[in-house]
Amino acid sequence: MIQNMIKEGKIVPSEVTIKLLQNAMLESANNKFLIDGFPRNEENRAAFEAVTKIEPAFVLFFECSEEEMERRLLGRNQGREDDNIETIRKRFKVFMESSIPVVEYYESKGKVCKIDAAKPIEEVFEAVKAVFTTQDAVESSEN
């Protein structure tokens, strides 16, 4: 079911994703988590926070033009059947309609850390490390 939904550029139901995430978090010995690509819509966000009682400390938002993302996806040559122009463009449309409101929600709470992802990999990595270093310093000063 999940593979078919991804192929169609659709979003997997929140209850499925949240249950998978929650199980992985509970089975882990960690108390900090980096969740990639979730929540993807407002319903995901509200359901995750309601079920887990967790609100993120911060949200990373990788800014990159649609043209650059399309170029990278088509050039990654991973043999994924969803790496075709039609599916990629569907995913962009779904992202703009569904995910941007989540980013805006967290931005209104001062929790979004934006990263210019159009830069070279090394520069993006350094920017991400700087965010985590800053967040660790903030957390340490709060304890």
Side-chain angles (χ1 to χ4, degrees), residues 118-133:
K119 291 184 176 182
I121 293 168
E122 297 78 18
E123 289 181 43
V124 173
F125 180 63
E126 290 302 319
V128 170
K129 283 194 330 187
V131 168
F132 279 89
T133 301

Side-chain angles (χ1 to χ4, degrees), residues 14-15 34 38 70 73 95 119 124 126 131 136:
S14 294
E15 59 273 6
L34 175 62
F38 188 86
E70 186 175 292
L73 287 168
F95 177 77
K119 291 184 176 182
V124 173
E126 290 302 319
V131 168
D136 281 345

